[in-house]
Amino acid sequence: MKNRKYIFIVGGVMSSVGKGVTASSIGRLLVSKGYNVTAIKADPYINVDAGTMNPTEHGEVFVTEDKDETDQDIGNYERFLNKNIYSVNYMTTGRVYLDVIQKERNLEYKGKCVEVVPHIPNEINRRIEKAGAKDKADIVIIEIGGTVGEYQNILFLEAARRLKLKHPGDVAFVLVSYLPIPNRVGEMKTKPTQHAARELNSAGIQADFIVARSEQKLDNKRREKLATFCGIDPDNAISAPDADSIYEIPLLFDKENLGEKILAKLNLKPKKQDINDWRKMVSSIKKAKKPLKIAVVGKYFGTGDFTIADSYISVLEAVKHACWANNRVPEMVWVDSEEYEKTPIKINELSQYDGIIVPGGFGSRGIEGIIKAIKYVRENNIPYLGLCYGMQLASIEIARNVAKLTGANTMEINPKTKHPIIHVNPFQTKNILENKYGGTMRLGAYPCKLSKDTIAYSAYGKPSISERHRHRYEFNNKYRQKLEKAGVVFSGVNTQQDLVEIIEFKSHPFFVGVQFHPEFKSRPLDPHPLYVKWVETMVKQEKKKVKKSRKK
Ligand code: GLN
């Protein structure tokens, strides 16, 4: 292809209306039409990466193969495009400024006065072009965080305006906006979107498409209004009503011919039409009817359910992918582990779940409750998947309750514990002492060797795997033998650094803790084998339960 093409996705009216899913869905559509697509997230924060932001404020920290701590939208791009997205595809205001200042210190501007404009937008565009080139992309989708009209993202909009000036035929703009239907009015209103389109105009940008997010479909009357007042072709006002599953959205957009329309805007034609794999996956979601009850046990419950869901979005998606692959509908329930600390008897409620998951986390709040929950699932044969902290706490539970190592703990909670089952890596101690918290955890992909005749081996079906990490603490090898005697199987090890990566508990149908985050690699078209195996075990147990109750 002669020229690389660029599609900017910007938000109007309010945040959280689905810019990330829109960007990803457009990406999937264009892939299905034969193009190599990559996607970039431009976050307005001063933070250099998402690693230093509290997930209850910013959502999940998504870790890339190449060790970057990024925004959760990068996870959406990976899931929809079904490929790895790398660090070059993520930028924040902080990261851009840091580079410009560093270059200035290195005299790379050759004595010029370095200014916010043009140097910052130019650096943004250098990064956009670099990411496109790295992926040899035909089309680069750039999602600009925040909404138009904010101070925060104005330099990203300026970069977009400049790119359009440089390549007039190769850049398109999509405004993802919200159209409210106020209860008392009972009618879909376009006015806030009109303001957003005008706000975009004042940044020198004309939207080519408006994705009209709303509870309902966009009717013709409102389509015309958007066309008249926002300066777009009526055909380019795209209806985007709420969908049951985000994975349906590429298909809904396809019905609106959005792929063809965007390609036409960029002077391109579809090279093929192949969305069948996606369509098959979506129909398997719809086919699944029987539920599986899964409890996610953890903390972070003080700020309301919505925040929690965002903090663990990759875990939730991975559970869904694995359930659909097993023809089941996941019914996920959030369980506040602090409840088990206050009222221990409540722990028995866990018997109603088909499976339990303990996701990653940090700090001491709710930890004793999680350990109680892990003891319960271990003793009651409930399929257990522990992710990162969930693996570390499972090791502590077994150390305390089976190996009888009283007071066993992680140094994260009690640095002076008599039995530091989980300890801090020596090179991490230095980071902590020097307050070096940004980007210094054990991050990104590391290889892991699996032992034969283990659950992990049977799930992956191969001896060598690679998974993504994000943690500062590790299993303490001094305790391997003691825990082995207590029934732990160390089924996965990083042989280069001799680090424990996977633990299992003997004579349990599925008790697996992993030091890594398998959820980062789960995709709807390619569900993660460990999650799939965990769900398979639940389905098997369910059948056994049915048989038993029939016999009674
Ligand atoms: N807090 C633990 C650590 O730093 C676990 C981290 C996690 O669960 N992502 O090692």
Coordinates of all heavy atoms in Angstrom, one line a residue, residues 5 37 49 74 145 154 158 186 211 227 230 253 291 293 347 359 373-374 444 466 507 537 541:
K5 N -2.5 4.9 6.5 CA -3.7 5.7 6.8 C -3.9 5.8 8.3 O -3.5 4.9 9.0 CB -4.9 5.0 6.2 CG -4.8 4.7 4.7 CD -4.9 6.0 3.8 CE -4.9 5.7 2.3 NZ -5.1 6.8 1.5
V37 N -4.0 -3.8 10.6 CA -4.4 -2.6 11.4 C -3.6 -2.7 12.8 O -3.5 -3.7 13.4 CB -5.9 -2.7 11.7 CG1 -6.3 -1.5 12.6 CG2 -6.7 -2.7 10.4
D49 N 3.3 6.1 33.0 CA 2.5 4.9 32.6 C 1.4 4.7 33.6 O 1.2 5.5 34.6 CB 3.4 3.7 32.6 CG 4.2 3.5 33.9 OD1 3.5 3.5 34.9 OD2 5.4 3.2 33.8
I74 N -5.6 -0.9 25.7 CA -4.7 -1.7 25.0 C -5.1 -3.2 25.0 O -5.0 -4.0 24.0 CB -3.2 -1.6 25.6 CG1 -2.8 -0.1 25.4 CG2 -2.3 -2.5 24.9 CD1 -2.3 0.4 24.1
G145 N -7.6 9.8 24.6 CA -8.3 9.7 25.8 C -9.0 11.0 26.2 O -8.7 12.0 25.7
I154 N -5.8 18.6 24.5 CA -5.8 19.5 23.4 C -4.5 19.3 22.5 O -4.6 19.5 21.3 CB -5.9 21.0 23.9 CG1 -6.2 21.9 22.8 CG2 -4.7 21.4 24.7 CD1 -7.7 21.8 22.3
E158 N -4.2 18.7 18.6 CA -3.4 19.5 17.7 C -2.5 18.6 16.8 O -2.3 18.9 15.6 CB -2.6 20.5 18.6 CG -1.6 21.4 17.8 CD -2.1 22.3 16.7 OE1 -3.4 22.4 16.6 OE2 -1.3 22.8 15.9
G186 N -38.2 11.5 27.2 CA -38.6 10.3 26.4 C -38.1 10.4 25.0 O -38.7 9.8 24.1
V211 N -20.2 8.3 15.8 CA -20.8 7.1 16.4 C -21.7 7.5 17.5 O -21.3 8.0 18.5 CB -19.6 6.1 16.8 CG1 -20.2 4.9 17.6 CG2 -18.8 5.6 15.6
A227 N -26.4 15.4 10.9 CA -25.8 15.7 9.6 C -25.8 17.3 9.5 O -24.8 17.9 9.2 CB -26.5 15.1 8.4
C230 N -23.8 19.0 12.6 CA -22.4 18.6 12.9 C -21.5 18.6 11.6 O -20.4 18.2 11.6 CB -22.3 17.3 13.6 SG -23.3 17.2 15.1
F253 N -21.6 -2.7 13.6 CA -21.0 -1.7 12.7 C -21.0 -2.2 11.3 O -21.2 -1.4 10.3 CB -19.6 -1.4 13.1 CG -19.5 -0.5 14.3 CD1 -18.2 -0.3 15.0 CD2 -20.6 0.2 14.9 CE1 -18.1 0.6 16.1 CE2 -20.5 1.0 16.0 CZ -19.2 1.2 16.6
P291 N -25.9 -21.6 33.2 CA -24.9 -20.7 33.9 C -23.9 -21.5 34.7 O -24.1 -22.6 35.1 CB -25.9 -19.9 34.8 CG -27.0 -20.8 35.1 CD -27.2 -21.7 33.9
K293 N -21.7 -20.4 38.2 CA -21.6 -19.4 39.3 C -20.2 -19.3 39.7 O -19.6 -20.2 40.2 CB -22.5 -19.7 40.4 CG -23.9 -19.1 40.3 CD -24.7 -19.3 41.6 CE -24.7 -18.0 42.4 NZ -25.7 -18.0 43.5
I347 N -18.3 -17.6 55.5 CA -17.5 -18.3 54.5 C -18.2 -19.5 53.9 O -18.0 -19.8 52.7 CB -16.2 -18.8 55.2 CG1 -15.1 -19.0 54.2 CG2 -16.4 -20.0 56.0 CD1 -14.2 -17.9 54.0
P359 N -8.1 -12.6 42.2 CA -7.3 -11.9 41.3 C -6.0 -11.2 41.9 O -5.9 -11.3 43.2 CB -8.2 -10.8 40.7 CG -9.2 -10.6 41.8 CD -9.3 -11.9 42.6
A373 N -11.0 -17.8 52.7 CA -11.7 -18.3 51.5 C -10.9 -19.3 50.8 O -11.4 -20.4 50.3 CB -12.0 -17.1 50.5
I374 N -9.6 -19.1 50.6 CA -8.7 -20.1 50.0 C -8.8 -21.4 50.7 O -8.8 -22.5 50.1 CB -7.3 -19.6 49.8 CG1 -7.3 -18.3 48.8 CG2 -6.4 -20.7 49.2 CD1 -6.0 -17.6 48.7
G444 N 6.1 -7.9 32.3 CA 6.1 -8.4 30.9 C 6.3 -9.9 30.8 O 6.2 -10.7 31.8
S466 N 5.0 -19.0 27.9 CA 5.5 -17.7 28.3 C 4.3 -16.9 28.7 O 3.2 -17.0 28.1 CB 6.1 -17.1 27.0 OG 6.2 -15.7 27.2
S507 N -4.3 -33.9 45.0 CA -5.6 -34.5 45.4 C -6.7 -33.4 45.5 O -7.6 -33.6 46.3 CB -5.5 -35.3 46.8 OG -5.2 -34.4 47.8
T537 N -13.2 -28.1 34.5 CA -13.3 -28.9 35.7 C -14.6 -28.6 36.4 O -15.3 -29.5 37.0 CB -12.1 -28.5 36.7 OG1 -10.9 -28.5 35.9 CG2 -12.0 -29.4 37.9
Q541 N -17.4 -31.3 37.4 CA -17.9 -31.4 38.8 C -19.5 -31.3 38.9 O -20.1 -32.0 39.6 CB -17.3 -30.4 39.7 CG -15.8 -30.6 39.9 CD -15.4 -30.2 41.3 OE1 -15.9 -29.2 41.8 NE2 -14.5 -30.8 41.9

